[in-house]
Amino acid sequence: MDTAHLILLIIHILGFSALIGGLLAQAGAEEKRVTGVMRDGIGTAFLAGLLLVGVLEGGDEPVNHAKVFVKLGIGLVLLVLVMANMRKPSIPKGLWAGLLLLAVAEVCVAVLWSPVHT
């Protein structure tokens, strides 16, 4: 289980890296849009997160269901927003900033709400 957990965790982190990287790559652009990298990043992160919860539930350690619920909620909002705006030629700067804020919030929840820090 430890190997599966670590592999899924790495994939989850890489997915969010792709999402945040895709957003930051457009920071100076006049027109902002949802790219394939962002779509694939949030899709990968979301799916890997679901699989991670399954692996954690199968283990001996207790699972923090409140943290899972918060991360699932933010991840689902990100996934829906990215997919809904995929085919649009551009998105408003406010939506771009909101996506970036939600992605960073998701990372903050993951890191700061960790048992390592308690």
Side-chain angles (χ1 to χ4, degrees):
M1 282 295 204
D2 286 337
T3 303
H5 175 255
L6 291 175
I7 290 170
L8 287 170
L9 184 60
I10 290 168
I11 292 170
H12 187 64
I13 291 169
L14 289 174
F16 270 103
S17 298
L19 173 63
I20 293 172
L23 287 163
L24 290 177
Q26 300 180 45
E30 190 71 26
E31 296 243 342
K32 307 204 183 311
R33 59 186 301 264
V34 175
T35 64
V37 170
M38 293 162 54
R39 177 201 61 214
D40 295 346
I42 188 58
T44 300
F46 191 81
L47 182 60
L50 289 176
L51 294 172
L52 262 172
V53 172
V55 168
L56 290 174
E57 287 286 350
D60 297 333
E61 298 292 319
V63 178
N64 187 342
H65 293 288
K67 177 182 174 181
V68 169
F69 181 74
V70 169
K71 284 186 55 68
L72 177 68
I74 295 171
L76 189 58
V77 169
L78 277 166
L79 182 65
V80 168
L81 287 174
V82 166
M83 296 307 290
N85 291 285
M86 189 63 212
R87 294 184 186 229
K88 294 184 179 176
S90 66
I91 59 172
K93 290 182 183 178
L95 176 59
W96 175 84
L99 289 170
L100 184 60
L101 181 70
L102 283 171
V104 170
E106 182 89 340
V107 172
C108 289
V109 167
V111 172
L112 298 175
W113 199 344
S114 174
V116 173
H117 303 293
T118 56

